[in-house]
Every structure is written in structure tokens, then in C-alpha cells.
Amino acid sequence: RFSGSGAVLKLSTPDAQVQYFDLSIDDGAPTLLQVVPGKVDYPLQLSAGTHSLRLTKRNEANYGTAQFSGVTLASGTLLPTATPATRLIEFIGDSISNGYGVDGKPSGSSQDGSFVDCEANGSNENVTKAFSWLTAVACNAEPSLVAYAGRGVARNNDGTTVGLVPQLWTQQNPLDLSLRYAPSRQPDVVVINLGTNDFSTRGASAPPSNFVAAYVSFLQTLRATYPKAPIFLCLGPMLSDGQTFGDGSGLLATAKTMLAQVLQAFDDPQASLVTFPTQSTLAGSDLGCEYHPNPATQMSMATLLSQQIKAKMGW
């Protein structure tokens, strides 16, 4: 917030990729702000008065990073911002939690064989349309999001085991593993949406044998860090029993079984499972890019999850 008639946003990206932001002025509808390599100053001309600015980076570090260095005023004074939400929900996940490909629109239909997918990229990823963000809004809570496309608990989507989410959770920056993260605030709720990449690994003959042990170990670390927060384990909408491992077992049924084993082994009364309905893939209009949830599916996920959080927390 500031009083004045003009401001310059100081934003830069060290990467060779455009970074995409939502810019909201005076709580109005957001407009797209593209931060391009080599440019630092982004001026705003406004009428004289008191204004509020909100910047939200749409795309994850998978598509590059950005640095916000502050606001320079042409005239006027910076003012205290509005009181933030007192509730905090921490989301831990993968591409689904980040709104991967959510703004993209495939064409055609799989029913008649005319389906043509679109490629997910930084311009069509939009966290503000992801179930994580929408759930926080519905619960009047601030979201904290630790998520990275293609990563899993015990195995990533490409079959590697480096940079798994439990490791990234301990870092300030997923691209610089030397910077450790020390939580300074206890979340009211923790939501984990992981497993899709572990189970949908390309060409896998079976799920990772250490999935249950790895997940339970991560949950124990979270519980030691957040001793009171209820933990919701989510199973995303992308898996189905139409997809099978090399041994013929269905991905969805296997995921449900192993997540039940995780809950049993963790044995925490404050942990529960939320299973999102499998998304429809019958027509391109039901999907975002690369078979990821579109805005309608993400919203339905948020509705289901927020209802369960509110019931649990009495919100």
C-alpha cells in the first residue's frame, strides 16, 4: 500500500525465460505482468491517492525464478499493508498443486480420435487456479506452497530419485540445495498431494518398493516440525485403473492400497486421506495441458478439500 500517483516495481529474472505474474491494483481483477530477462523497472501510472498492489508469481521454479527488489515511488509514502489472514495452510505437492498446464486448452476429443494435446509451459501454469490456492481462499487462509512438477515421495516421474519432494521441503530454493529452510510459523493445517509421479512413472513395471517407508518417514519429519497440525493426505485425480504397471496392476487401486498402508503405519489420529475423483479424459475440454486438471476440475478439488478442512477445524 502507498499514497501517491506512481510506482516502479523492481523485478528481475536471472533465467532466460519469461516469468509470469498476476498484478492486482486496489483489489481489482488481476492483469498479466511479464517479467523479461534484462529488464528491471516496471512503472505504474495511477491517479493520485492511496493504492494497494498485489503481485503473485504464477509459475513455479521449474520454469525459472524471479527476484522482487521492492517498490520505488515517484512521490508519496509507503503505508502498512492490510492485516494478513491469521490462518495458514501449508501445501506440499507436485504439478497438480501448482496449476501445471491449467490455462492451456487441448483441442478435439478422445471419443472420435481427434484429440490434440497442448504443451505445458510457464505461460499456461497458474497457481491461482490450482486447488491449493483455491482451498486457501475458501478457508480464508494464507497458502504456503512447496511443490515441484514431476517430483514424488520415493521416485520422480522420470524414474530418478534425486530432488524428491521430502528433500526439496527442507530447502529455501529448489534450485539451490545449499540453502536450508527453517519454518518460523506453525501452519494450522498441512495438505500433501503426492504419489501421482511415484505411480505414473513412465515405463515402470511396479510402484517403488520403498514408497510406504519413504512417505511415513516424511510424515514423521513433518509431525516433529508441526506437532499439532492436522495432516490431510490427498490422492490426485490423474490416476485411473485404466492405466497399469508392467505387472498388470491398476495404478489407482495400487495407490489407494499403499496410501492406506501409509496411514496405518504412521498411526496418527490427526492424519486422514482425501481421494479426489478421477478426472474425465473423454474430451479435450475436460483437461488442461498434458492430461492435467483444468480449472473446473481444480475448483471441484478445492470444494471437496475445503469442506473437509472446515469440518475438521470448525472454520
Side-chain angles (χ1 to χ4, degrees):
R1 294 179 67 244
F2 70 96
S3 63
S5 60
V8 179
L9 303 179
K10 299 285 189 177
L11 287 161
S12 60
T13 173
D15 304 298
Q17 303 179 77
V18 175
Q19 301 303 303
Y20 298 89
F21 284 80
D22 275 346
L23 172 62
S24 177
I25 300 174
D26 298 335
D27 295 321
T31 58
L32 178 63
L33 174 65
Q34 299 186 39
V35 176
V36 298
K39 184 178 179 179
V40 176
D41 292 344
Y42 293 83
L44 302 173
Q45 295 299 322
L46 306 170
S47 60
T50 299
H51 299 285
S52 64
L53 305 176
R54 178 183 289 114
L55 272 176
T56 305
K57 188 171 183 290
R58 290 184 177 187
N59 54 296
E60 62 182 293
N62 183 41
Y63 295 119
T65 61
Q67 182 176 13
F68 173 64
S69 302
V71 177
T72 300
L73 301 180
S75 63
T77 308
L78 287 174
L79 302 172
T81 57
T83 303
T86 57
R87 300 169 180 169
L88 175 65
I89 303 177
E90 179 166 312
F91 297 89
I92 303 170
D94 48 33
S95 57
I96 299 171
S97 302
N98 287 337
Y100 183 92
V102 71
D103 276 338
K105 295 182 180 179
S107 61
S109 170
S110 58
Q111 293 175 300
D112 60 15
S114 63
F115 181 84
V116 178
D117 202 355
C118 54
E119 179 182 357
N121 54 48
S123 68
N124 56 40
E125 181 173 84
N126 191 341
V127 70
T128 68
K129 296 182 181 179
F131 83 94
S132 50
W133 183 280
L134 297 170
T135 296
V137 170
C139 292
N140 191 28
E142 179 184 348
S144 173
L145 183 58
V146 183
Y148 203 102
R151 306 298 174 89
V153 178
R155 180 174 67 190
N156 298 320
N157 184 256
D158 61 3
T160 62
T161 56
V162 177
L164 297 165
V165 173
Q167 178 188 15
L168 297 182
W169 181 81
T170 68
Q171 312 300 325
Q172 287 188 31
N173 182 340
L175 305 181
D176 185 349
L177 300 185
S178 68
L179 298 174
R180 302 288 291 184
Y181 171 67
S184 60
R185 181 179 171 190
Q186 291 283 314
D188 297 282
V189 174
V190 175
V191 174
I192 309 173
N193 185 73
L194 290 172
T196 298
N197 290 310
D198 297 84
F199 291 97
S200 62
T201 303
R202 294 184 291 272
S205 59
S209 59
N210 64 330
F211 177 81
V212 173
Y215 210 144
V216 171
S217 176
F218 184 39
L219 289 171
Q220 290 170 339
T221 299
L222 289 171
R223 177 54 74 219
T225 308
Y226 306 137
K228 297 181 180 180
I231 300 176
F232 292 82
L233 279 65
C234 299
L235 180 58
M238 294 180 65
L239 299 179
S240 73
D241 281 328
Q243 306 161 305
T244 59
F245 291 112
D247 61 9
S249 58
L251 267 60
L252 181 58
T254 303
K256 288 180 177 178
T257 297
M258 297 189 80
L259 281 171
Q261 294 171 352
V262 168
L263 276 177
Q264 182 177 18
F266 184 44
D267 191 24
D268 188 311
Q270 287 283 75
S272 57
L273 178 63
V274 178
T275 301
F276 295 117
T278 299
Q279 65 186 7
S280 171
T281 59
L282 293 178
S285 60
D286 297 322
L287 299 168
C289 294
E290 299 180 20
Y291 285 84
H292 276 68
N294 71 352
T297 301
Q298 291 275 13
M299 178 59 80
S300 67
M301 294 167 64
T303 299
L304 174 62
L305 178 59
S306 61
Q307 288 172 347
Q308 297 203 26
I309 291 176
K310 289 177 181 179
K312 174 70 175 179
M313 302 301 292
W315 289 350

